[in-house]
C-alpha cells in the first residue's frame, strides 16, 4: 500500500506538470498526457527505488532531471504534431518535475516507504555509535556527570 501511495503522489506531480507543458503548449489530448504520465511515473519510480536508499537527494534529483528530460523529449516528439521543438516543453517540465520530486516526493519516500515511518531512526543509532567511538574515555562535563 505504501508503494501505491508513493506512485499516486509521483503521478499527480507528473500529470500536473505534463498537462501544463505538454497539454497546453503542444495541444496534446488528455489521453496522451495520461499515457505520458503513466510511463514517466512508473519508470521514474523504479529508478527512485533503486537509487534513493543509497544515494543523496542531490544525486537522485539530477538523475531524475536527466531522465525526465530525455523521456519527456522522446514522448512529446512522438505524440505532438510538427510545430514547436519538443525540448521547448521538455526542459522546463523536467526541471520543474525534478524540483518537485526532490523537494517533496523523495522526502516522503525516504520517511514512509524506505524507513516505514521511522524518522531518522537509523541515523540516531549511527550517531550514538559514532559518538561512543570518538569519545572513548574522555571525561564527561556538565550536570549528568557519573561519579
Amino acid at each position: 500500500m505504501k508503494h501505491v501511495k508513493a506512485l499516486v503522489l509521483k503521478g499527480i506531480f507528473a500529470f500536473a506538470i505534463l498537462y501544463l507543458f505538454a497539454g497546453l503548449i503542444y495541444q496534446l489530448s488528455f489521453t496522451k498526457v495520461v499515457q505520458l504520465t503513466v510511463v514517466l511515473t512508473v519508470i521514474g519510480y523504479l529508478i527512485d527505488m533503486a537509487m534513493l536508499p543509497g544515494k543523496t537527494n542531490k544525486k537522485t534529483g539530477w538523475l531524475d532531471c536527466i531522465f525526465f528530460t530525455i523521456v519527456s523529449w522522446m514522448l512529446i516528439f512522438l505524440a505532438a504534431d510538427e510545430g514547436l521543438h519538443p525540448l521547448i516543453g521538455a526542459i522546463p517540465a523536467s526541471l520543474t518535475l525534478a524540483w518537485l520530486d526532490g523537494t517533496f516526493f523523495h522526502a516522503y519516500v525516504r520517511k514512509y516507504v524506505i524507513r516505514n515511518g521511522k524518522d531518522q531512526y537509523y541515523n540516531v543509532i549511527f550517531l550514538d555509535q559514532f559518538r561512543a567511538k570518538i569519545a572513548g574515555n574522555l571525561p564527561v562535563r556538565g550536570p549528568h556527570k557519573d561519579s
Side-chain angles (χ1 to χ4, degrees):
M1 189 64 181
K2 60 186 178 181
H3 291 286
V4 173
K5 289 179 185 176
L7 269 168
V8 168
L9 182 64
K10 190 171 184 81
I12 289 170
F13 288 157
F15 178 76
I17 299 303
L18 283 175
Y19 186 74
L20 180 68
F21 287 100
L24 298 179
I25 292 176
Y26 295 100
Q27 302 299 319
L28 293 182
S29 67
F30 182 78
T31 56
K32 286 186 181 181
V33 173
V34 170
Q35 291 169 350
L36 295 176
T37 302
V38 169
V39 171
L40 275 177
T41 301
V42 170
I43 295 172
Y45 186 74
L46 293 175
I47 289 174
D48 283 343
M49 286 295 101
M51 295 288 294
L52 271 177
K55 302 294 181 197
T56 62
N57 196 26
K58 188 175 182 181
K59 289 179 184 176
T60 310
W62 279 111
L63 182 69
D64 274 345
C65 187
I66 292 168
F67 164 73
F68 290 145
T69 303
I70 292 170
V71 172
S72 59
W73 173 37
M74 290 188 311
L75 292 174
I76 290 172
F77 179 75
L78 293 174
D81 296 330
E82 302 276 333
L84 291 175
H85 196 274
L87 280 178
I88 293 172
I91 289 176
S94 64
L95 288 174
T96 308
L97 197 51
W99 173 77
L100 281 173
D101 266 7
T103 305
F104 302 108
F105 179 72
H106 292 166
Y108 177 83
V109 167
R110 281 186 197 277
K111 183 173 181 180
Y112 294 106
V113 177
I114 295 173
R115 293 188 185 134
N116 290 326
K118 297 173 185 160
D119 193 20
Q120 303 296 323
Y121 175 72
Y122 300 108
N123 291 342
V124 170
I125 291 175
F126 174 75
L127 286 176
D128 286 344
Q129 291 172 353
F130 179 73
R131 287 181 191 133
K133 286 180 183 178
I134 295 297
N137 293 325
L138 293 175
V140 178
R141 294 177 154 182
H144 302 292
K145 185 175 180 183
D146 294 331
S147 302

